[in-house]
Structure formats: C-alpha cells, structure tokens
Amino acid sequence: MARSNDEVAALFHEYADLISINGGDAYKSRVYEKAARSIGGYHADVSTLDVKGLQEIPNVGRSIAEKILEYFRSGSVSAVEELRAKIPTGVRRLTAIPTLGPKKACALHEELGISSVEELADAIHDERLRDLKGFGPKTEENILHGIELLQSSGERALLDVAMDLADDIVTELSRATGCQRCTYAGSLRRFRETIGDIDVLAAADRSAPVMRAFTELPYVSEVIAHGEKKTSIRTTKGLSVDLRVVPPDSWGAALQYFTGSKAHNIRTRELAVHQKLKLSEYGLFDAESGKKIASETEEDVYARLGLPWIPPTLREDRGEIEAGLHDELPDLVQETDIRGDLHTHTDLTDGLAPLEEMVAAAAERGYAYYAVTDHGPNLYMQRMTDERILAQRDRVRELDGEHTTRGRRGGMRLLHGAELNIGPDGTVDWPEEFLAGFDLCVASVHSHFNQGSEALTRRIVRACENPCVNIIGHPTTRLIGKRPPIDADLEEIFAACARTGTALEINAHPDRLDLRDEDILRAKRHGVKFSVDSDAHATVHLANMRYGVGTAQRGWLTRDDVINTWPETRLRSFLLKGRTARRSRG
Ligand code: DGT
Ligand code: CA
Ligand code: CA
Ligand code: ZN
C-alpha cells in the first residue's frame, strides 16, 4: 500500500486531535478524522493526485485537498504546524496514552502542570488527581491501564508498518551491485504481532555496495553503526533496521540464525551439540575437525540436524522441535488456501467503498466466495434498518456469480451476512426469524468492555448459543498497544464454540490480530474452527489477509481448522448451524 496515504492519514488524525486539544470545534475535528480514514483506505497513491483527483476521495473537499498538496510540496502543512506550536509538547505527550482524551490531558497540564507520562503516573500514585473535576478513581484506574499499555508496547512497531518498510528495503537492496539474495528475517519473518526491529539479510561477495545502498535510503534518519558485516540505521519513523551481509555460501545458516527466535535457536544449537556439531550463523560444523557440513540452505542445515524444514511462523520453541523430530509438523494453512473473506463492510455502514467496489476487489484477489457483513442496527451510529439491509441483500443476489475470477469455472459466490453487536446481556440486533434470512452472521463485542469476567463470559457464550451466530468477530476486542483484551474466561468460550459449531475469528487487521497466536493454540485443543477475516472497511484492507494467515500459522492451524479454506458446499453446511434443525422441526 502507498505509504504516502498512511502519512497523510496520520497527519490529519493528529490535526483532528490538535483541534480538540485546543478546544476547537468538534465538527471540524470530525471532518479531519473522517478525511484521514478515507485517505488511509483510498486505492490510489495520494502523492500522485492533483486537486481534482484528491477531491474525488470521499470526505475530501477543496481545503483538505490543498493541504495535501502543500504537504507534498513543502513537507509540512502550515495550519498543522501552527497548532502544534500552540500546544505544549507535554500535553501532546500525554495524549499518547490511549485511555486519555485530549480534554483531560489539557486539564492535567493546566491545573497540575503535568507534562510527561511519568509525572502523571506519580501524580496518580500521590492521589493528586482526586481534587480535579471529572477525575474519579475509575478515571485513575483507566489512565494507569493506558500507561501500562503504552509502556508494554514500548517502541515496538505494528506488523504492517514494519512489513511495508521491509518490503521496500528488500526491493531496493536487491538492485544493489553484487547483491545475490536479499530477504527479511527476525520476528518479521516469523509474523510476530509486533516488531522490535527489522532484520534484513543479504548475500554478496562484496558487502560495501549493499551497505552503501542501505545507508543511502531516503528515510534513513541516523546511521547507528556502520560495518563490513553489519550496519544498523534508524528511520525517520523511529523504526530501527539491521542489515547483515553474508557470503552467498553461508546464506542458509545465516537465515536460520537471524530468523530466530532466540529460544528456537538455543534448541537447534543443543541438537547440534548432542551430535558433536557446532551451529552458528556461518554454518553447521564438525565440532572436532571444524569442517563445514552444511550452510547453503536452511533445508540443508535442518536436515543435518535430523529435522524437516520448519516454517518460520512455528519457530518459537512451542513444541516445533519435538514435532519435527517425530515428523509431526502441521501442514500449515497458506494464504493461497484462503477461498474467501467472511467479514467485510461497505459504505452502507462504516466502510469506505460501495458494495460493487468491494466485490470487484475481492474477485480480483481470486476468491471463490465473499461475504458482505455490515453492522446491524444496535450500533446506532450506523443507522441500519431492516429496509436498508434487505435492499442490500437484493443487490448482493444480483451480483452473485457475476464476477468470474481467473482460473475458475463459475463466478464468485456472494454470501449476504451481517456483523451483529453482542449486547451487554449477550443478545444480538435482530430476532431469530430475521437472522435466519442471512447466509451467515458474525457477532462481536463493541462496547461494555469492563463488565466483570463472569458477565463477559456469559455474554459471549450466549451469543454462541444463538443458532444464527456463526462467527465470533475479534473475540477479545483488544487493540494492540491501545486496548487490552477483555477479561473473559476464554477456556469456557472455546468450549462453547466447539459445542455449538461457532467459529472464532482471527481478525487480520494489524491493529487487532485477534485471536492472538497463543489463544488460537488453546482454542484448537477444544476442537474449535476458525475464520480468518480481513474485516475490511476499504478495498485496500482486503490484503491484510496475509497477517491473519501468519497469525493462524503461529497458532499451528491447518486448512481443516479454517472454514474459509473449505469448498463452498462444506462451508455452507457449517454455516447452517442450528438453522436446519429449526427449519425441519418448524
Ligand atoms: P524483535 O526484534 O524484538 O521483534 O525480535 P527478533 O526475534 O527479531 O530479535 P532480534 O532482532 O534481537 O534478533 C534477530 C534474531 O537473531 C533472533 O530472532 C535470533 C537471533 N539472535 C539474536 N540474539 C541472539 C542470541 O543471543 N542467541 C541466539 N541464539 N540467537 C540470537
Ligand atoms: Ca528484530
Ligand atoms: Ca535486530
Ligand atoms: Zn467488522
């Protein structure tokens, strides 16, 4: 995806925040908020558009279009700079706390002179917030929670941010003189949910030209270390990148080493020692004679240790070594196995693109089926009505099978669904008679995150017991670095899913990745099935599927575990759930 769109979106999000911090009008702030979302989800690269082209983006008018042009012309937008200058950096630092809004941040700065996250934490512990209007013990607890989240996510980047950058670096370095191979390794190759730093590996006989190409990348803000074997840089966005250049014949050993994880490497090294071998980033050697035994490919290295090649997403020392030794590694689900997306939105609710565009983009991805699941009426701001959803259903039926995807007989099948809201008591938007008219229903929690554990658990179990609910969307509702997972009893929910034939979603949005890998592993033991979905609100989000599949792999899932890899007939019979029994009885 075009990075310039993300840049401009981030700038306008900040501008919207600055407007509210400054006590500006809420309407204006919302206008920029909306524009930011539209730009982030727009299919064309905004840096290539003129004033007219820019105004074709939903929610972008002339004045916003001009600010975008100004940004690409001069590197900044004067209106944004003016507000930045007005607001003390201390206040801006405070708004980095995900649970603290701009108004409260301002009050803290003005009333108590607090201008850093640390000062705020101290003030809460000294109970100095108690006297401020609008700050109760509950607010304090929320703020402390936010500070914890902020500090635990630390400097780690979200997966998509790191991946976009790494893809770009690998493309650039591959063009450098003498570069024979280049790829990313480390946590990124393992698809961890957040990335500490990017590790890039290149193979070349002479490292200097590759190192030079690296330090000359346009977004390098600082060269931290510069050497023959390893160079480290920091980018303008604050992310660090390590590049190692190795001789072509040690490629496999180096890739194995720098992919990690550290825990996995320790285990592979132990295996080597037991066989009187020595494993390092240079190769696998005979411990006594020092003779090199394997190094060119990862497959060679693993084979000489008595292991099959282990997929990077499994390399966390969670049993993959034992499984490998017994030839019991799972046949992991791949992105190419995915036949369709089962949770997506259109502009009928909070999506950015009309139905026709979403469907065309899905067909472009080669899907055999595709579900449209806009929000039900209980998220009141979405203004859904029975008439509107039924009108959408008619349109979906008309488009069903109309897109023929390359290499497939017959057209892409469309499923008409909805994303229901699981209310505080576990009920959902529509009565069963109405729900039975949908091909599938996703149901998710969107509010009341702080109910007690028992109430939260009962709430989701009740949704599972609804015969029309097929998938629990973003099951723990966490937002990485922003909102913790809800405190429900997951084991009980997993058991309910398995018992009722309800799938759990692996939401592929890089802010969510929900369920997370460890929970997937636990759920799988209960026999739960999963649906890997993009939850796309724009055509460009459909491509987030790769992060969902990576997460599914980290949870050891195979095709059989993932319902949207199944042929359409098997999927449809899973989706009937309790509805058949009800129909034949009734
Ligand atoms: P990150 O950057 O925190 O997201 O996680 P990684 O896994 O990318 O860690 P990083 O960048 O420190 O190191 C890259 C890989 O290099 C790591 O996955 C395994 C390998 N490695 C680094 N330090 C050690 C070490 O002390 N021992 C062993 N065996 N391997 C190491
Ligand atoms: Ca790393
Ligand atoms: Ca590193
Ligand atoms: Zn959704």
Side-chain angles (χ1 to χ4, degrees), residues 156 186-187 190 195-197 199 257-260 262 265 269:
R156 300 183 68 83
S187 51
R190 308 196 312 277
I195 304 300
D197 72 353
D199 300 279
Y257 182 89
F258 292 113
T259 296
K262 195 169 161 180
N265 286 358
R269 205 169 333 142

Side-chain angles (χ1 to χ4, degrees), residues 452-454 456-458 460 475 485-491 493 522:
S453 176
E454 219 170 291
L456 280 165
T457 309
R458 209 173 334 113
I460 298 177
I486 50 170
D487 178 28
D489 181 344
L490 291 181
E491 293 294 331
I493 292 171
R522 286 163 59 206

Side-chain angles (χ1 to χ4, degrees), residues 343 345 375 419 535 537:
H343 177 179
H345 296 270
H375 291 286
E419 180 180 12
D535 194 1
H537 285 67

Side-chain angles (χ1 to χ4, degrees), residues 25-138:
D25 86 61
Y27 174 75
K28 188 172 171 193
S29 164
R30 266 200 308 278
V31 165
Y32 279 94
E33 205 53 66
K34 274 194 189 157
R37 280 196 57 212
S38 298
I39 292 162
Y42 200 59
H43 55 83
D45 183 340
V46 290
S47 68
T48 64
L49 301 176
D50 61 8
V51 142
K52 263 183 82 194
L54 287 168
Q55 286 182 79
E56 275 167 29
I57 305 174
N59 302 312
V60 172
R62 176 146 201 118
S63 133
I64 294 181
E66 273 164 3
K67 288 192 178 69
I68 300 174
L69 290 178
E70 181 188 350
Y71 177 72
F72 288 115
R73 205 170 44 235
S74 70
S76 66
V77 175
S78 54
V80 180
E81 293 306 320
E82 269 165 39
L83 270 191
R84 272 185 185 158
K86 265 195 195 166
I87 290 151
T89 41
V91 175
R92 286 202 269 138
R93 253 182 248 134
L94 293 183
T95 55
I97 302 170
T99 51
L100 185 67
K103 283 228 171 67
K104 287 209 157 65
C106 250
L108 289 168
H109 184 73
E110 274 165 21
E111 310 272 334
L112 301 175
I114 294 172
S115 59
S116 75
V117 175
E118 293 71 31
E119 282 172 31
L120 178 54
D122 288 345
I124 293 174
H125 291 302
D126 300 346
E127 302 191 349
R128 275 189 284 138
L129 266 55
R130 295 280 161 98
D131 309 328
L132 287 186
K133 223 179 92 196
F135 287 81
K138 189 90 202 166

Side-chain angles (χ1 to χ4, degrees), residues 176-196:
T177 316
C179 181
Q180 297 188 16
R181 312 187 68 155
C182 185
T183 191
Y184 53 82
S187 51
L188 190 58
R189 186 165 179 239
R190 308 196 312 277
F191 273 77
R192 255 193 82 172
E193 62 188 40
T194 58
I195 304 300

Side-chain angles (χ1 to χ4, degrees), residues 55 147 184 260 294 315 383 444 549:
Q55 286 182 79
I147 293 178
Y184 53 82
R315 300 183 196 173
R383 297 198 191 84
S444 336
V549 172

